Amino acid sequence: MISVEVDEVSAQKKAKPEKPSKEAGESKVQLATIFQPTEDILKRLEREVKKGEVKYYTPYTLANQLNVKVSVAKKILKEAEKRGILKLYSGGRRTPIYIPAVSNP
């Protein structure tokens, strides 16, 4: 009798409480699953650069702006440099800084 009660108590302790399910409004923001820079993203970046609102771009700022991963943002910045949209201002050891290739007066 005692061993049965002990087994029931230990089974109750091992049972994990259920986590409340997340509602639609509480979910985390999902990053885009893009792994290569596409024409659409590069055109979006070119429009942003032409507006002239941002003085410089880093992988982190671009990743936040376009809602992509930082590694993808690095690829986008390199491709934009190849196309002449942006110019490398400081290569740096860790974070490259890009500026618009043609400044709007």
Side-chain angles (χ1 to χ4, degrees):
M1 221 180 192
I2 294 176
S3 65
V4 174
E5 290 176 11
V6 172
D7 290 338
E8 290 176 7
V9 171
S10 64
Q12 289 175 356
K13 287 182 180 179
K14 289 181 183 178
K16 294 182 181 178
E18 294 182 22
K19 294 181 181 179
S21 62
K22 291 184 179 180
E23 294 182 21
E26 296 178 354
S27 64
K28 290 184 177 182
V29 176
Q30 294 292 324
L31 295 177
T33 56
I34 301 170
F35 298 108
Q36 295 295 326
T38 60
E39 285 295 320
D40 182 42
I41 291 177
L42 289 168
K43 286 180 183 179
R44 248 172 80 188
L45 176 63
E46 189 171 6
R47 279 182 285 184
E48 292 292 324
V49 169
K50 285 183 181 179
K51 286 181 185 177
E53 295 174 357
V54 181
K55 293 181 182 181
Y56 63 91
Y57 294 90
T58 63
Y60 179 77
T61 58
L62 189 66
N64 284 336
Q65 193 175 32
L66 298 178
N67 197 25
V68 295
K69 293 183 178 182
V70 175
S71 61
V72 176
K74 287 180 182 180
K75 292 176 185 179
I76 293 169
L77 289 170
K78 287 179 184 177
E79 184 64 30
E81 182 186 16
K82 287 179 185 176
R83 294 183 182 206
I85 300 169
L86 297 175
K87 183 172 72 171
L88 183 64
Y89 177 74
S90 172
R93 181 174 161 194
R94 295 185 179 182
T95 305
I97 300 172
Y98 292 86
I99 59 173
V102 179
S103 60
N104 297 332

